[in-house]
Amino acid sequence: MPAGNHSGFDPVTFVLTGIPGMEESHVWISVPFCLMYVVALLGNSLLLLLIATDRSLRQPMCLLLAMLAVADLLLSTATVPEMLAIFWFGSRKVSFDACVAQMFFTHCSFIAESSILLAMAFDRYMAICDPLRYLATLTPSAIGKVAAAAVTRGLCIMLPPVFLLKRLPFCGRSTMRHTYCEHMGIARLACADISVNVWYGFTTTLLSSGVDVVLIAASYVLILRAVFQLPAREARLKALRTCGSHVCVILMFYLPAFFSFLTHRFGHSIPSCIHILLANLYVVVPPMLNPIVYGVRTKQIRQRILHATRLHTGSHGWS
């Protein structure tokens, strides 16, 4: 084997560039991402704490929210600290194994979150369109199976790319124009045919997250049809506001992710800075918004937060 030609199992070091063309603005760009990450950590941790300590919150929707919070924490923590290390300290080098591990956890948590969003859409469909069967269908056992299915699905989809990347030779190119490691970003640095990686990624994305989007859209169409049949105007408006906020967060999760996915394969004329900025958005914006949009708008959680706030205010009212 020629010198400098590394097989998939030899040590390889990659260099992450951050956002190409915007190096002088990295510190300024890091500020909103750091703030969003802190809000995501605090919001999701608070949500998990509330659900874990209050037995009255062991309802199907709340349990799904707890699962979503865990997926959010994994997704943002797998990517944002690395991004901030590049922006603040110029820490650009990453080993092959560390890069593959980051890719695995990032994509795995994305797939799990997509599965949970689908389950939450089904939860809203049952609550609005078939409320009499809601508790009988969404039992704690069923929620547990949803959690197991989300994790298993992510593992089954993301384990093959690990081995597909391990088999590739890397012989010189080591600069990755990104802030974190993605499957196709790593594969494109190989000096071999990567058509298997391309088609595997394309197929699994369409059959996993692509199918999820179609089913989520179908569930919200059925929900909206049921909402417009409600006799009370206030009830319709309330349901529409709730559905609207959910749809906005779902779009913020899927649109940048699919844009990044399609750009890797077809959008070579799109500037790298736009591609990378959008790829960074879907790993931090939804984790920041989900506890606010889903958590605060869930009646039981909102009441629990208000109750805790009143107790805290009352306990300090004498000072």
Side-chain angles (χ1 to χ4, degrees):
M1 181 181 298
N5 185 21
H6 300 281
S7 73
F9 294 97
D10 290 332
V12 179
T13 299
F14 296 129
V15 177
L16 295 167
T17 64
I19 304 177
M22 303 183 72
E23 288 83 2
E24 294 182 0
S25 304
H26 274 177
V27 174
W28 295 107
I29 295 171
S30 71
V31 174
F33 280 101
C34 180
L35 292 176
M36 287 188 286
Y37 180 55
V38 170
V39 173
L41 286 180
L42 294 176
N44 287 290
S45 299
L46 176 61
L47 194 61
L48 285 172
L49 180 63
L50 284 174
I51 295 171
T53 55
D54 193 331
R55 295 185 65 85
S56 67
L57 295 180
R58 308 291 169 82
Q59 303 297 321
M61 186 60 171
C62 295
L63 293 176
L64 289 171
L65 280 172
M67 292 159 50
L68 186 67
V70 172
D72 280 336
L73 289 172
L74 287 174
L75 179 63
S76 56
T77 301
T79 53
V80 179
E82 175 74 28
M83 183 196 313
L84 295 179
I86 295 171
F87 290 163
W88 290 344
F89 311 115
S91 179
R92 302 170 186 269
K93 291 185 178 181
V94 58
S95 69
F96 175 82
D97 288 334
C99 200
V100 170
Q102 185 185 48
M103 177 274 298
F104 175 82
F105 284 110
T106 301
H107 293 324
C108 196
S109 55
F110 177 87
I111 294 166
E113 181 156 344
S114 181
S115 304
I116 296 164
L117 288 173
L118 175 59
M120 291 172 69
F122 178 73
D123 172 276
R124 291 300 86 198
Y125 166 79
M126 291 297 297
I128 294 173
C129 301
D130 199 359
L132 296 179
R133 295 174 53 195
Y134 177 77
L135 291 177
T137 303
L138 292 167
T139 61
S141 173
I143 299 299
K145 291 176 182 176
V146 168
V151 173
T152 303
R153 187 190 193 197
L155 292 175
C156 289
I157 292 174
M158 287 314 303
L159 280 175
V162 173
F163 297 102
L164 289 175
L165 291 172
K166 286 279 189 179
R167 72 179 177 86
L168 293 174
F170 296 88
C171 46
R173 290 185 298 172
S174 62
T175 301
M176 192 181 307
R177 296 164 67 85
H178 214 304
T179 56
Y180 59 87
C181 298
E182 290 185 322
H183 174 214
M184 289 309 303
I186 301 172
R188 290 193 183 282
L189 296 178
C191 48
D193 181 20
I194 60 169
S195 57
V196 175
N197 298 72
V198 172
W199 284 109
Y200 181 86
F202 185 78
T203 304
T204 53
T205 300
L206 289 182
L207 295 179
S208 57
S209 300
V211 172
D212 291 348
V213 169
V214 172
L215 294 176
I216 289 170
S219 69
Y220 274 100
V221 168
L222 295 173
I223 288 169
L224 289 174
R225 189 178 69 174
V227 165
F228 283 116
Q229 293 175 352
L230 294 174
R233 183 173 180 272
E234 289 186 3
R236 289 199 303 270
L237 290 175
K238 182 179 179 182
L240 285 173
R241 283 195 297 267
T242 301
C243 289
S245 59
H246 289 186
V247 168
C248 287
V249 174
I250 289 170
L251 290 176
M252 279 299 302
F253 179 68
Y254 283 113
L255 287 180
F258 279 115
F259 180 87
S260 176
F261 162 75
L262 293 172
T263 300
H264 261 309
R265 288 151 183 83
F266 310 114
H268 303 298
S269 62
I270 295 174
S272 297
C273 59
I274 295 176
H275 167 213
I276 295 169
L277 279 172
L278 288 174
N280 289 334
L281 286 179
Y282 81 82
V283 300
V284 68
V285 174
M288 175 190 68
L289 293 178
N290 284 339
I292 300 169
V293 173
Y294 287 113
V296 175
R297 283 187 173 271
T298 300
K299 183 179 178 181
Q300 300 97 318
I301 294 176
R302 184 171 65 249
Q303 289 176 340
R304 181 68 180 84
I305 293 173
L306 290 173
H307 178 67
T309 303
R310 290 193 193 101
L311 287 178
H312 179 77
T313 303
S315 65
H316 293 82
W318 54 269
S319 57

